[in-house]
Amino acid sequence: MALYEAVIGLEVHAQLRTRSKLFCSCSTAFGAAPNTNVCEVCSGMPGVLPVPNARAVEYAARMGMAVNCTVNPVSVFARKNYFYPDLPKGYQISQFETPICEHGHLDITVNGQTRRIGITRIHMEDDAGKNIHSAGDNASYVDLNRSGVPLIEIVSEPDMRSAEEAVAYLKALHAIVVYLGVCDGNMEEGSFRCDANVSIRPKGQQEFGTRAELKNLNSFRNVQRAIEYEIARQQDVLEDGDAVVQETRLYDAVKNVTVSMRGKEEAHDYRYFPDPDLMPVRIAAEDLARWRADLPELPQARRARLMEQHGLSEQDAEVLTADRALADFFEAATAVCGQPKKVSNMMQGALLRELNQRAVTVDAIAMRPEALGELVRIVEAGLISAKIANDIFGELLESGAMPEAFVKERGLVQISDTSAIETAVDEAIAENPAEVEAYKGGKTKLISFFMGQIMRKTKGKANPALVTELLQKKLG
Amino acid sequence: MTTISTEQVAAIARLARLAPDEAQLETFARQFGDILGYMEMLNGLDTTGVEPLYSPVQHATALRPDEAAPRCTREDVLRNAPEADQEFFIVPRIV
C-alpha cells in the first residue's frame, strides 16, 4: 500500500461583530423573529444602493494585520453571481481580484513541531439568508435576517498535512478573531464556520491530487473527524484503482461520513465582476497606522509571555489563553496571590469544571478573579484545606462572595490546633483496634483510612499535614 | 474575430435560468461574438503601467457609521412577495 500525504486548505467564514449589516443599517442581532431585520437593500429590491459599513472595513483590516497580511489601501467589491432563494439580489457582494488583505501567515504547533500556514487572502462579503425546509408541505421558507450580515472569508494556502494541523490552525484563527473582538466566535450560531479542501497524494509527489470540498463543519471536533474520514475515503478510492472526483461533500456528524453534494459538472461559474454600485474601498494611511498601533497582545504572544513570566507549562498556557477573558482572569487572580501555578491548577480544575457544568463563560459569572486569587491564598496559608476549597467553589462562583469572609462565616476554617486534632486522632485509634493492629503489622497504607475517619469527625476541617504527623507519632 | 459557439451561449443561458430555442441560440451567439469582437479593439492599445479603471466615477468610497436602525416592517418587506405567510417568504421546496 502506497503511503499517502494529505493536503488541506481551509476557507473560514467569520461574522464580523458589527451592530449593523455590511451595506445597510439593519440590525445583525441573532435570533430575531423571521424577516424583522430586513430592508430594501438586504432584500434585493431594485434601485437601492449599498453603502459599506466603516466598522466592517476596520475589522477586516485589523484581522489582516493580526495574521501578518498586507492590507491593501484600495480594495474592490465584486459580484459573485448565482441563484438561490436565500440570495435575493441574485449575487453575493464579495471581493475577487483585489481583496482587502493578502499574503499573510500563521504559525501553528502540533506535536512540538511548529509549521507556518500561509494565508492567501482575507476578503469581505455579505452573508446569505436562511432557508428552512418544511417536512410537511412542498415548500421552503426564507428568512432574510442574516442576508447582508458582514463576513470575512479567510482563505489559507493548502499548507496543512493532517486533520490535527487543520484543527490547530482553526483554533489559532478562532482565538485571534475573539481576542481582536472582530467576531464572537460562536460556532453553534454559525458566526465562525469552516469549509475544508482535502486531497491526498503519494508521499513525495509534488502535484496535488484531486480535491473534495467539505462543508458543514460546525465544531472543531467535526473538522477533525470529517477530514480524517475524507482522507481515509480518498485512500480507499485510490487503493481500489478509482479516481477521486472533484466535488463538494457534506459532513454528516451523526453518521460521521461525508456525502457527495454536487459534482464538478454542476460546479458554479460565478462570473465575478466589479460591483458597479460600489466604489473601490480606500483606507487612509492614518487609519491603518492607528489600527496597527492598538492591536492587542495576540494569543501566541500571550502564551509565550505567560510561560516566560509565570513559569506555566505550554499546555497550561494554551488552555488559559484560548479565551481572552480566561487569560485576563488568570492574570488578575495571580496578581492577588502571587501563585501562578496554583491559580492555573484551580482554574483548570474547579473553575472550568463549574463553567462547563453551567455552560457559561468566565465573563458571565459573579466570581471575580480577586476572589479566586484569595481562595488560592487562604488554601496556601492553611486557613482551609484544598478539599474545602473545591467543595465551596460552586457557591463562590454563583455568589461572588469573597472566600476568606465566606469560610469564616460558615465555620469552615481549618483546624490547625493540635489539641483539637489530637482528640479526633485518639478517638479514631480507640474505635478501630483491628486497623491499628494491621497498621503496626506493616499495612501502612491504612494511614489513609485513619485520615478519612478523622476528616469525618472534623467535617473535613483538620489540617491534613498535622493529622499525618500525629497519626505517625501515635501509631508508630 | 471572436467566435462564440451556441454551446457557450447555452451554458450562459443555463446559468441565467433561461431556455432559448435553437434560433435564439444562433442569434445570441452571433451577437455575443460581435460585442466581444468590438471590445477586442481595446487589446490593440498598450496599457502598460495604466491602473485598471473599475468605474468612471472617481470619488472616495462613502462609508457608513456602524449604527443599527430599523427601516422596514416585516409587513412591508413581505408585501411584494409572490408567496408569503405572516413570517416568511415561501418558495418551491429546494431540497
Side-chain angles (χ1 to χ4, degrees):
Chain A
M1 180 174 148
L3 268 179
Y4 292 103
E5 170 181 73
V7 175
I8 303 159
L10 296 187
E11 294 168 9
V12 174
H13 286 91
Q15 181 182 329
L16 296 175
R17 222 172 76 176
T18 57
R19 290 194 185 90
S20 64
K21 293 185 179 180
L22 184 51
F23 296 113
C24 62
S25 62
C26 289
S27 168
T28 55
F30 182 83
N35 290 306
T36 51
N37 291 327
V38 182
C39 72
E40 302 94 328
V41 174
C42 57
S43 60
M45 301 284 178
V48 298
L49 272 182
V51 185
N53 183 332
R55 172 136 316 134
V57 174
E58 175 189 334
Y59 281 178
R62 282 181 189 271
M63 183 58 193
M65 291 171 180
V67 291
N68 312 291
C69 283
T70 306
V71 180
N72 292 323
V74 179
S75 65
V76 177
F77 281 113
R79 292 187 182 180
K80 177 182 181 177
N81 301 281
Y82 66 95
F83 291 121
Y84 211 58
D86 60 12
L87 190 78
K89 299 189 298 301
Y91 57 87
Q92 180 185 30
I93 303 178
S94 183
Q95 299 190 300
F96 189 58
E97 281 175 359
T98 322
I100 186 165
C101 308
E102 290 176 286
H103 315 306
H105 62 82
L106 191 57
D107 291 335
I108 57 162
T109 303
V110 174
N111 300 327
Q113 220 188 342
T114 300
R115 297 204 49 229
R116 175 155 293 183
I117 308 302
I119 290 174
T120 317
R121 55 188 278 146
I122 300 176
H123 61 255
M124 297 179 276
E125 59 188 24
D126 60 353
D127 206 349
K130 203 168 80 178
N131 297 319
I132 296 154
H133 311 294
S134 155
D137 46 356
N138 208 26
S140 292
Y141 296 79
V142 183
D143 173 9
L144 295 181
N145 281 346
R146 204 179 59 189
S147 167
V149 162
L151 306 176
I152 46 174
E153 179 173 342
I154 306 158
V155 183
S156 86
E157 292 288 316
D159 285 349
M160 288 153 275
R161 295 290 172 267
S162 67
E164 290 77 20
E165 287 187 4
V167 170
Y169 165 81
L170 194 63
K171 282 188 173 166
L173 270 190
H174 184 267
I176 292 173
V177 296
V178 174
Y179 262 61
L180 292 177
V182 302
C183 170
D184 67 19
N186 189 324
M187 293 177 89
E188 290 94 65
E189 289 176 8
S191 306
F192 187 84
R193 46 194 202 254
C194 166
D195 300 336
N197 289 308
V198 180
S199 65
I200 61 171
R201 62 183 173 191
K203 250 192 151 83
Q205 179 182 304
Q206 282 303 301
E207 309 86 72
F208 294 142
T210 306
R211 66 188 161 88
E213 184 180 2
L214 307 185
K215 288 192 177 287
N216 202 26
L217 312 176
N218 55 5
S219 71
F220 293 121
R221 183 161 173 268
N222 285 355
V223 170
Q224 168 112 19
R225 297 195 331 150
I227 292 174
E228 279 169 355
Y229 173 88
E230 184 58 22
I231 291 170
R233 187 191 70 84
Q234 293 187 11
Q235 279 180 4
D236 284 348
V237 169
L238 295 186
E239 294 294 321
D240 289 348
D242 295 331
V244 173
V245 185
Q246 187 177 336
E247 61 185 352
T248 301
R249 297 180 70 87
L250 203 65
Y251 178 63
D252 180 335
V254 178
K255 296 185 187 142
N256 188 31
V257 294
T258 62
V259 184
S260 181
M261 230 173 110
R262 55 174 183 247
K264 195 187 180 184
E265 63 278 10
E266 299 159 63
H268 285 129
D269 173 357
Y270 292 121
R271 293 149 296 147
Y272 283 95
F273 63 88
D275 192 317
D277 285 345
L278 287 154
M279 297 293 98
V281 178
R282 291 174 200 278
I283 309 176
E286 308 88 81
D287 286 334
L288 285 176
R290 189 161 43 86
W291 299 337
R292 196 174 291 283
D294 60 29
L295 272 186
E297 185 184 28
L298 293 170
Q300 273 175 1
R302 194 166 198 183
R303 191 182 318 153
R305 183 171 62 77
L306 291 191
M307 289 164 67
E308 164 91 24
Q309 187 180 332
H310 297 301
L312 294 186
S313 72
E314 183 167 6
Q315 202 191 344
D316 289 348
E318 193 171 326
V319 172
L320 293 174
T321 53
D323 172 359
R324 187 175 175 177
L326 207 61
D328 290 345
F329 197 97
F330 167 78
E331 296 211 71
T334 299
V336 170
C337 65
Q339 303 259 15
K341 285 180 188 168
K342 303 281 179 192
V343 170
S344 163
N345 290 344
M346 192 177 283
M347 285 182 65
Q348 293 186 62
L351 179 65
L352 289 184
R353 178 194 69 217
E354 300 291 328
L355 291 178
N356 287 340
Q357 263 175 25
R358 292 167 173 77
V360 293
T361 54
V362 74
D363 38 13
I365 56 171
M367 176 186 259
R368 303 315 318 139
E370 292 74 21
L372 190 135
E374 186 176 294
L375 190 59
V376 167
R377 184 172 58 72
I378 64 177
V379 171
E380 291 308 300
L383 189 66
I384 57 168
S385 66
K387 183 182 179 303
I388 296 270
N390 193 50
D391 290 348
I392 63 173
F393 200 90
E395 273 187 86
L396 292 174
L397 181 135
E398 294 273 353
S399 65
M402 287 308 280
E404 186 161 358
F406 180 89
V407 298
K408 285 185 172 158
E409 193 187 304
R410 294 285 184 94
L412 296 170
V413 173
Q414 182 160 271
I415 305 167
S416 295
D417 168 3
T418 318
S419 63
I421 295 177
E422 202 161 2
T423 315
V425 171
D426 288 342
E427 277 177 31
I429 289 174
E431 286 163 11
N432 299 287
E435 282 75 8
V436 172
E437 276 313 303
Y439 180 90
K440 287 183 172 164
K443 285 195 153 184
T444 51
K445 278 185 184 164
L446 279 168
I447 192 120
S448 54
F449 164 78
F450 288 107
M451 177 69 79
Q453 296 295 310
I454 292 153
M455 283 301 175
R456 191 174 305 158
K457 289 176 186 298
T458 58
K459 299 194 170 62
K461 291 187 286 183
N463 180 328
L466 277 179
V467 174
T468 310
E469 196 187 311
L470 281 169
L471 273 171
Q472 279 168 346
K473 203 168 81 189
K474 287 178 186 282
L475 291 169
Chain B
M1 194 64 207
T2 309
T3 53
I4 294 290
S5 67
T6 50
E7 287 78 20
Q8 285 173 304
V9 175
I12 291 165
R14 224 171 11 253
L15 289 170
R17 303 290 191 273
L18 297 173
D21 61 32
E22 282 300 316
Q24 285 171 316
L25 282 178
E26 299 281 350
T27 308
F28 290 145
R30 199 183 61 247
Q31 290 177 342
F32 282 14
D34 288 348
I35 293 167
L36 289 171
Y38 183 62
M39 288 297 162
E40 251 169 30
M41 285 199 290
L42 292 173
N43 289 339
L45 296 172
D46 180 10
T47 55
T48 318
V50 179
E51 266 195 48
L53 179 73
Y54 291 105
S55 164
V57 185
Q58 289 294 303
H59 64 75
T61 328
L63 295 180
R64 176 177 58 76
D66 180 30
E67 283 156 15
R71 270 193 58 86
C72 300
T73 63
R74 177 157 69 187
E75 201 188 345
D76 285 341
V77 166
L78 296 176
R79 179 163 296 158
N80 295 318
E83 199 184 348
D85 57 16
Q86 304 300 305
E87 296 178 299
F88 293 97
F89 296 93
I90 300 176
V91 297
R93 193 177 170 83
I94 46 178
V95 290

